[in-house]
Structures are given as C-alpha cells and as structure tokens.
C-alpha cells in the first residue's frame, strides 16, 4: 500500500490532481480544502500523504483502485477517523471535507450539528451521528495550528534551452509557476482559504464561492489579504 507520494503537480482539476512521478502520471483525489491550498502550485514538487480504496460499480464486478491525497499526515488521519462514522464512506468523506480539518473538528467538539450540516453531502441526521461518534476523539485536531504554507518552488529552477548552432545546450533559469507575481500572492494557502470563507459568509454557496475564487486566481490579479481579494472579485459588479 502506498502511504506517501512525491512528484511534480501537473494539473489541478475539480476534485482530483495529477502528479508526475518519474515517467508516470498518477491521479490523486483531493478534498476541496486541499485543492484550495495547492491549486496554484502547478509545476512545483509536492508530497501527498496517501490512502487507497477500491471503487466498485453497482454490479460489483469491476473495481478501480483510487488514491486520496492530503498535504499533512494529520489531515489523512482525520479523514480515516471521519470514515469510521456509520454510513460515511471514502467518497462521502472526501466530498464533506470542504473546510479545513481544524474547523470541522472544532465543530464536532462543540457539538455544532447545524454547522456540520452545511458541509457538502451532510444532512442533519448524519451531522448528529458524526457528533455522537467523534465528539470525544477530535480534541487534538481541533487544537491544530493553521495549515502552513507549502514551500516555494526553487527560484533557480533550471530548464534546458534549445540547442545552439554548435549542438550544445545551455541551462536557462525559468520560473516554475506563471505568472510570476502569482507565486507570492497564493503561496500562503491560508489567505486563499480565508477568502473562500468570506465568500461563504457573504451568502454564496460552496460552488459559487469556489468559482469566484478560481476566477480571481486565474486572472493573475494580485492581492495580499481578504479585503483586497473581495474588492477585486466585486469590482465589476454594478
């Protein structure tokens, strides 16, 4: 069983990423909370803590191996704990973890069924079951520090230039992520998560909030905090 994978992040899709490890590209499923942290790290080397499960079809005659990845080992441990709740499997837990582990654990610890029922795919009955099952098991996750920013891509990343007339190649320093100014803006995943939370607080549902945040990040516009990000998001609103 694979427990950790390190490779170059080649693509970030809606609910999965692609990781290049040597000559192979792997599909790794990620929850929304992880996606927000890494979505602008394409081209950088990233390590995922991995768990695996088999996904079967309705007839039970075909099984596909799936990998789920997390940035920290604590996130993976919480996911596995979350899956111990009755009627919550890997797919449902993956969808539900749209918020940082610390926030979900804190809500469980304070038995906030209403807050938990706002997570994707979690209704009031399931939220109550989560509290009943996990309320005495999440204290250390509720006290976790905020997700640290991922390391910057190396500034001196070297790529090979086209051959010169004499057939020799010369190294040329190239930035790993483009546009370059976007690196400093989104390197701290906590800022991105704060913007997402702010959009949710303003009444947007999770899909609307994610679409607005994605559009902002893809625009390449710079922002240093939540206020600047919201100003950019609503700049074109009448």
């Amino acid at each position: 069983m694979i427990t950790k994978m390190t490779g170059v992040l080649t693509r970030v899709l809606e609910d999965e990423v692609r990781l290049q490890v040597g000559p192979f590209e792997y599909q790794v499923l990620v929850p929304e909370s992880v996606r927000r942290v890494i979505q602008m790290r394409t081209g950088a080397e990233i390590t995922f803590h991995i768990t695996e499960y088999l996904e079967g079809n309705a007839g039970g005659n075909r099984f596909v191996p799936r990998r789920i990845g997390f940035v920290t080992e604590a996130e993976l441990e919480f996911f596995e704990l979350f899956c111990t709740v009755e009627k919550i499997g890997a797919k449902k837990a993956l969808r539900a973890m749209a918020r940082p582990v610390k926030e979900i654990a804190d809500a469980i610890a304070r038995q906030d069924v209403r807050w938990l029922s706002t997570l994707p795919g979690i209704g009031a009955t399931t939220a109550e079951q989560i509290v009943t099952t996990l309320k005495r098991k999440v204290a250390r996750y509720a006290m976790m520090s905020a997700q640290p920013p991922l390391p910057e891509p190396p500034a001196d990343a070297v790529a090979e230039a086209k051959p010169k007339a004499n057939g020799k190649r010369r190294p040329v320093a190239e930035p790993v992520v483009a546009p370059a100014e976007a690196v400093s803006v989104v390197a701290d995943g906590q800022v991105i998560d704060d913007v997402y939370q702010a959009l949710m607080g303003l009444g947007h549902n999770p899909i609307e909030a994610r679409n607005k945040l994605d559009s902002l990040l893809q625009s390449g516009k710079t922002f240093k905090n939540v206020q600047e990000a919201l100003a950019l998001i609503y700049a074109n609103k009448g």
Side-chain angles (χ1 to χ4, degrees), residues 1-237:
M1 178 176 176
I2 295 174
T3 59
K4 187 184 290 187
M5 294 179 68
T6 298
V8 176
L9 186 67
T10 57
R11 284 189 285 175
V12 179
L13 306 175
E14 185 174 354
D15 55 5
E16 66 182 70
V17 302
R18 301 296 171 83
L19 194 70
Q20 189 78 31
V21 183
F24 302 104
E25 183 182 76
Y26 292 91
Q27 175 198 58
V28 180
L29 305 180
V30 294
E32 175 64 18
S33 57
V34 172
R35 177 184 177 275
R36 290 197 303 274
V37 172
I38 65 171
Q39 61 186 340
M40 295 298 288
R41 306 298 296 175
T42 304
E45 184 176 85
I46 291 182
T47 296
F48 286 106
H49 296 269
I50 298 291
T51 187
E52 298 177 313
Y53 75 100
L54 292 176
E55 182 180 283
N57 60 10
N61 56 6
R62 181 173 181 268
F63 293 91
V64 179
R66 301 293 188 191
R67 295 182 179 88
I68 302 175
F70 300 89
V71 175
T72 69
E73 193 169 6
E75 290 173 332
L76 170 58
E77 291 173 353
F78 180 83
F79 171 82
E80 292 177 335
L81 180 66
F82 204 73
C83 288
T84 64
V85 177
E86 186 178 359
K87 295 183 179 180
I88 293 186
K91 291 180 67 175
K92 189 167 187 175
L94 187 66
R95 184 185 176 202
M97 288 181 63
R99 309 297 310 138
V101 165
K102 177 180 173 64
E103 292 184 20
I104 300 175
D106 182 66
I108 296 171
R110 66 175 187 268
Q111 302 182 43
D112 192 340
V113 171
R114 182 177 179 181
W115 188 95
L116 290 169
S117 63
T118 66
L119 296 174
I122 303 298
T125 301
T126 303
E128 291 176 358
Q129 186 63 46
I130 291 170
V131 169
T132 300
T133 306
L134 303 181
K135 62 185 178 182
R136 302 183 188 279
K137 303 177 182 179
V138 297
R140 75 184 187 91
Y141 301 105
M143 294 186 290
M144 285 170 53
S145 59
Q147 167 69 49
L150 292 174
E152 292 284 347
D156 59 347
V158 175
E160 288 190 331
K162 294 181 179 179
K164 300 170 69 176
N166 59 9
K168 294 182 179 179
R169 295 175 182 267
R170 62 183 180 85
V172 177
E174 292 182 349
V176 176
V177 181
E181 58 269 23
V183 175
S184 61
V185 173
V186 298
D188 184 356
Q190 188 60 47
V191 175
I192 296 175
D193 192 64
D194 288 345
V195 175
Y196 180 84
Q197 291 184 51
L199 289 168
M200 294 280 285
L202 290 170
H204 296 289
N205 63 41
I207 295 176
E208 292 172 342
R210 185 170 73 180
N211 288 341
K212 288 183 179 295
L213 182 55
D214 285 351
S215 295
L216 173 61
L217 295 172
Q218 291 167 8
S219 74
K221 296 178 180 178
T222 62
F223 60 92
K224 297 178 181 178
N225 52 48
V226 173
Q227 290 75 20
E228 291 182 6
L230 292 178
L232 290 170
I233 288 171
Y234 293 110
N236 298 323
K237 300 294 183 180

